[in-house]
Amino acid sequence: MCAAGSYVRTNLLLAIFLAALSFQVTAAQNTAVAPYELPDFASPEVAALADRVYIMLEKQSHFLLGELKPWNGDERYKLLTESRSQEHWIRPNTGTVEALCFLYRFGPYDEKIVGLSRQELLRQAIVPMIRYLTETHVTGSRPTGDGKPWGDAWQSAHWAQMLGRGAWWVFDNLPQELQVAVRRVVRHEAERIANSNPPSQLKGDTKAEENAWNAQILSVAILLMPHDERVPEWNRQFQRWTMSAFLRPADKNCTTTVDGRPVAEQFTGANIFDDFTLENHGFVHPDYMGTFTLSLGCATDFRMTGRKEPESLYWNVAGIYENLKWFMLPDMGFVYPSGQDWTIFRQPAWITRHLLMFVYGRDPEAWGLLKQTVEVTEQMQRRSPEGAIFDPSQFFFPSTQTDIAAALARAWLDLHFADPQSMGEFHPRVGVRHLEFGKILLHRTPEAVFSLSYGPVVMGMVTMNRPDRLTSPDQRSLVGHVILEGQKSALPAKVQNAEISVQEGGFVARVIVHHGDVVAAEWTMRSFANSKLEISERLVALKDCTIDEIGTWLVGILNNVNWIFETGQRTISLNDEKIKVAAHSGTEFERQEITRVIVNNTLRIDLSPARRVVYRAATKAERGRATDRMYLNAMPERRSFRGGENITEWAGTISVVQKAQ
């Protein structure tokens, strides 16, 4: 009996021990983040490119660390910006955290480039920055310097995913209270998105970008809390939000199966047009067409953790990317047929587009574009002894320098999943592409790109198909302005009618534009495969009016200091006179009876009959670029007209000069 009792007690003690051990193992699992693994680079070429990306990030991080400062003198909290609760003061800091956490965890770190050892980077930068960001979130205990915490904002899930993804990489090296705090931030923002419905909007301001960035926080929540009971719902909502981002109207009836269900059953509203363009900021915007990278970039989260990414990440991406190839220029930026309200010198930001389409889209041309874009980014970085990629005069968005740091970090990781068999070279598009829903015409020749926008923004443009693109995407390009007596602002320009004909070797466009309800402009544009554009314009008064100034057929000339493909001056030839215009000089001049204009021995304009030409150089960069404005049809003096009266009529030919004059 004693033996039996001893046996029972032994088994009981063993059961208690095993239960305790099981509890400890379960508790440890529940506090662990998702483990990750990176395969080796698949080829020497991929590894070499990854090394270049890594060095660029080290240099950029050296620059950013020089901007870091304590919060109110307290070294336990650090940030790059003022302490405020909105985008321009939170996003730069979360992006920097992501980049620095990456450097701490991955790659051939060189403390001589970065300026700190890895341990110093963790102690002096990463931990104080995470402490600041978690304590000032709505789930934390302190407000920012403006008296408000950050979070629960239209973009705060995007900021939080950068913070969370960076923390995932260094999680075991963070103090326990910061582990808890980061998870609290990410859970809060993830639940907010998971409990919301993806919005949609086709015209004006797409919701494609917002849906794509909101999806990311759900992926990051799974990385940080892989054993949470909400993981199945986060996975479901991640697929739903990524699917919603780039739906077209045609998808409402699409029977293709994605992630086990027909697309039509998953339709939540269109965010892009059927021709794979989209509108943001009120016009067709190539920059936002590429925001598929926000959701597609999450494929690396899945691959690093041994999971298969949802098919929704790829929906409509190939069609969007093909459009972007038509917008590509040799400087690795885009032609902007409807104008550009951001800077045009954003080439480093497009590394992610080409990289993800090479790695996950298996697009051979993307490899060629990626290599060229990395080279341009390296050239931009060489301008700065501190390592900054962007020149201060050529950007104005506060997160510019930090977004590229986070993007380079992810790029290095993405390259581990590249397939060398997808390597190829880019073949620049030649011919005409008519994007009927976006109301964009592009005619690409080896020498130039002729473009017309006849939608919400009406403008025409000739862009050099060379590293120095020469012309600026001013939203008044070719349209110019009409200013009434006593007014300071130009009348709004709006398309009344457009007849478009795509022909072999070019296009013909007949467009009627109204300047307010005062002046009608009747245009004809005819493009040719030999890089010539014939244009004509007739201005007619719609009613009795007195006009202070007319300046139509505007050509915006880029004239920047310190841009890698410009020289800091332009040469303007008017008939036989040559005038050198220094960048940012504010030089102004006008000449009458001009029949021939040549800009920089590159762009030739022949006018008939002879016109008065006015040139007004910029004094500084605006919207990240300096644009000199040249009006080919200038009437700078006050004149009165009767309704129906012909104001002016003229024609011209624009061509590319093949040899220096």
Side-chain angles (χ1 to χ4, degrees):
M1 183 173 180
C2 288
S6 175
Y7 176 80
V8 171
R9 285 195 299 271
T10 300
N11 280 352
L12 179 61
L13 290 172
L14 179 60
I16 293 171
F17 171 76
L18 292 175
L21 180 61
S22 175
F23 175 80
Q24 291 174 1
V25 170
T26 301
Q29 288 176 338
N30 287 339
T31 59
V33 297
Y36 51 80
E37 185 176 353
L38 283 174
D40 293 334
F41 292 116
S43 73
E45 293 87 353
V46 171
L49 189 68
D51 284 343
R52 292 165 64 186
V53 168
Y54 195 93
I55 291 170
M56 284 194 294
L57 174 56
E58 288 181 307
K59 293 178 179 178
Q60 184 73 4
S61 297
H62 175 268
F63 161 72
L64 293 175
L65 287 167
E67 303 291 308
L68 201 60
K69 55 184 178 291
W71 184 26
N72 295 331
D74 189 340
E75 294 284 344
R76 295 176 303 166
Y77 305 87
K78 289 186 179 178
L79 69 168
L80 290 167
T81 62
E82 290 181 70
S83 178
R84 301 182 67 178
S85 59
Q86 301 303 312
E87 176 186 2
H88 298 331
W89 298 274
I90 301 299
R91 180 169 163 177
N93 290 292
T94 57
T96 300
V97 164
E98 182 175 4
L100 298 182
C101 288
F102 164 84
L103 284 178
Y104 178 79
R105 177 58 60 211
F106 301 103
Y109 190 87
D110 188 340
E111 64 182 66
K112 292 181 180 179
I113 297 177
V114 180
L116 294 174
S117 70
R118 269 182 162 146
Q119 289 306 313
E120 290 171 330
L121 186 69
L122 178 69
R123 185 177 66 256
Q124 297 180 24
I126 293 172
V127 168
M129 292 189 77
I130 292 179
R131 182 176 290 118
Y132 168 79
L133 289 164
T134 54
E135 288 200 21
T136 58
H137 186 254
V138 293
T139 61
S141 58
R142 301 177 63 180
T144 65
D146 64 13
K148 303 174 184 177
W150 69 275
D152 290 340
W154 72 294
Q155 199 188 72
S156 59
H158 183 39
W159 317 332
Q161 64 85 20
M162 291 187 278
L163 168 66
R165 186 176 280 108
W168 175 50
W169 296 326
V170 301
F171 198 78
D172 291 342
N173 301 98
L174 295 178
Q176 185 176 7
E177 69 272 15
L178 290 189
Q179 294 178 349
V180 172
V182 169
R183 278 176 161 159
R184 186 176 63 234
V185 171
V186 170
R187 173 185 288 278
H188 180 87
E189 297 290 342
E191 285 292 88
R192 183 171 61 83
I193 300 305
N195 293 321
S196 304
N197 292 317
S200 63
Q201 186 165 321
L202 192 57
K203 294 188 176 181
D205 282 282
T206 179
K207 300 304 176 186
E209 180 195 29
E210 295 173 35
N211 291 5
W213 81 44
N214 281 332
Q216 295 174 104
I217 193 65
L218 298 163
S219 179
V220 171
I222 296 167
L223 300 176
L224 286 176
M225 295 165 278
H227 304 287
D228 195 282
E229 63 180 9
R230 291 286 290 167
V231 165
E233 180 63 11
W234 291 339
N235 266 314
R236 189 179 76 85
Q237 291 295 340
F238 176 78
Q239 191 279 339
R240 184 182 184 217
W241 280 80
T242 53
M243 189 68 200
S244 74
F246 300 97
L247 289 170
R248 301 182 299 156
D251 292 331
K252 187 174 183 179
N253 301 308
C254 180
T255 59
T256 301
T257 299
V258 173
D259 296 318
R261 296 169 59 208
V263 171
E265 289 184 10
Q266 304 182 60
F267 187 79
T268 54
N271 282 310
I272 68 173
F273 294 118
D274 282 331
D275 59 9
F276 301 100
T277 59
L278 58 73
E279 287 183 3
N280 212 22
H281 298 188
F283 56 93
V284 171
H285 210 311
D287 291 8
Y288 290 92
M289 287 163 61
T291 55
F292 62 79
T293 57
L294 296 168
S295 47
L296 182 56
C298 292
T300 300
D301 297 344
F302 285 80
R303 298 290 179 95
M304 286 179 69
T305 52
R307 297 172 294 148
K308 174 62 178 172
E309 68 274 10
E311 297 170 343
S312 58
L313 299 184
Y314 301 92
W315 188 248
N316 286 332
V317 166
I320 297 170
Y321 191 59
E322 176 59 29
N323 273 343
L324 291 177
K325 292 176 184 178
W326 280 83
F327 288 89
M328 287 301 306
L329 291 172
D331 69 356
M332 292 296 101
F334 296 118
V335 61
Y336 292 103
S338 298
Q340 168 63 309
D341 52 351
W342 295 116
T343 173
I344 61 173
F345 303 126
R346 304 183 72 189
Q347 287 84 342
W350 314 148
I351 287 175
T352 303
R353 296 180 180 181
H354 307 312
L355 175 58
L356 291 176
M357 290 306 295
F358 163 58
V359 174
Y360 296 121
R362 297 291 190 262
D363 186 326
E365 288 190 306
W367 171 251
L369 288 167
L370 172 61
K371 290 189 298 179
Q372 294 177 67
T373 308
V374 167
E375 171 60 32
V376 168
T377 304
E378 289 172 329
Q379 291 182 53
M380 292 173 66
Q381 194 171 45
R382 291 187 196 113
R383 299 173 298 178
S384 168
E386 293 81 20
I389 289 174
F390 293 95
D391 182 89
S393 70
Q394 291 163 9
F395 76 93
F396 55 90
F397 185 62
S399 299
T400 300
Q401 299 281 26
T402 58
D403 280 353
I404 186 57
L408 291 172
R410 291 191 297 272
W412 189 88
L413 295 173
D414 298 335
L415 282 167
H416 285 77
F417 300 95
D419 181 356
Q421 294 185 1
S422 298
M423 290 179 177
E425 296 301 323
F426 175 60
H427 303 285
R429 302 302 188 255
V430 175
V432 178
R433 190 169 185 84
H434 184 196
L435 299 167
E436 296 184 43
F437 294 96
K439 297 185 177 180
I440 297 289
L441 264 174
L442 289 169
H443 181 188
R444 299 182 60 99
T445 75
E447 292 79 29
V449 182
F450 305 119
S451 61
L452 171 67
S453 169
Y454 59 97
V457 172
V458 53
M459 58 179 279
M461 189 167 56
V462 179
T463 307
M464 295 298 97
N465 206 358
R466 304 178 181 184
D468 180 1
R469 62 173 67 197
L470 187 64
T471 57
S472 179
D474 189 294
Q475 287 192 319
R476 288 276 177 170
S477 181
L478 295 191
V479 177
H481 63 256
V482 175
I483 301 176
L484 292 180
E485 178 185 23
Q487 301 295 312
K488 294 183 179 180
S489 300
L491 292 168
K494 185 176 181 180
V495 171
Q496 301 299 307
N497 186 58
E499 298 177 5
I500 308 298
S501 174
V502 176
Q503 304 174 350
E504 184 176 356
F507 68 79
V508 178
R510 294 179 176 85
V511 185
I512 297 177
V513 178
H514 281 189
H515 293 264
D517 61 352
V518 181
V519 174
E522 300 172 3
W523 297 0
T524 299
M525 299 175 64
R526 184 187 300 269
S527 69
F528 298 90
N530 63 353
S531 301
K532 288 189 177 182
L533 179 71
E534 292 179 354
I535 56 178
S536 66
E537 178 187 54
R538 185 167 78 103
L539 297 181
V540 179
L542 294 171
K543 62 183 181 181
D544 295 354
C545 57
T546 299
I547 297 173
D548 273 352
E549 180 176 289
I550 292 175
T552 62
W553 287 95
L554 163 66
V555 178
I557 307 296
L558 290 171
N559 199 1
N560 290 276
V561 172
N562 206 30
W563 175 238
I564 59 174
F565 296 123
E566 294 183 33
T567 62
Q569 72 171 19
R570 297 298 188 187
T571 300
I572 311 301
S573 299
L574 302 173
N575 291 349
D576 295 322
E577 178 187 11
K578 288 190 176 182
I579 304 170
K580 292 188 181 297
V581 182
H584 305 190
S585 65
T587 300
E588 294 191 13
F589 53 86
E590 66 175 77
R591 299 290 188 271
Q592 299 192 48
E593 297 301 312
I594 298 300
T595 58
R596 185 182 69 249
V597 179
I598 300 177
V599 182
N600 254 50
N601 293 327
T602 300
L603 185 68
R604 174 171 175 147
I605 305 164
D606 293 288
L607 304 172
S608 176
R611 314 306 301 162
R612 180 188 297 184
V613 173
V614 170
Y615 194 99
R616 296 170 180 166
T619 58
K620 60 181 179 180
E622 297 178 8
R623 309 302 288 181
R625 62 192 181 272
T627 300
D628 296 352
R629 290 173 170 83
M630 180 172 66
Y631 298 92
L632 301 175
N633 180 45
M635 298 172 61
E637 68 284 324
R638 180 175 296 177
R639 291 182 59 182
S640 295
F641 301 93
R642 305 285 294 178
E645 183 178 352
N646 195 47
I647 297 174
T648 183
E649 188 170 359
W650 67 284
T653 301
I654 299 178
S655 57
V656 178
V657 178
Q658 298 299 322
K659 297 181 180 179
Q661 299 295 304

